Amino acid sequence: MSVVNKHILVTGGTSGIGLATACLLAQAGAYLTVTARNRERGEAVLAQLRKISPGGQHHILEMDFASLES
């Protein structure tokens, strides 16, 4: 199955398996929205994704799944 031009939501994308998944999906041509509890870490991931796929449409969504306010 191709992920080219598909929009995918990646949770936990600022570290570990989530980050590795986000990087591989970006490299494969997917457009990503990555959730991040910390805005600065999210922005660092966004910069990394833009290096991997310069033309990609990637976004960070600041969100904490443990918080109902989020």
Side-chain angles (χ1 to χ4, degrees):
M1 180 173 106
S2 174
V3 296
V4 175
N5 296 325
K6 302 265 186 193
H7 190 166
I8 299 172
L9 173 69
V10 178
T11 60
T14 58
S15 65
I17 294 172
L19 176 58
T21 300
C23 290
L24 288 173
L25 288 169
Q27 189 175 33
Y31 300 138
L32 303 174
T33 296
V34 178
T35 64
R37 286 182 286 179
N38 178 293
R39 188 72 169 162
E40 291 78 29
R41 287 180 69 183
E43 292 296 335
V45 169
L46 188 58
Q48 187 175 352
L49 295 175
R50 288 184 174 153
K51 284 182 184 177
I52 292 170
S53 62
Q57 299 175 10
H58 309 302
H59 307 281
I60 295 298
L61 178 60
E62 190 173 356
M63 157 181 282
D64 183 354
F65 288 107
S67 167
L68 292 177
E69 293 177 10
S70 176

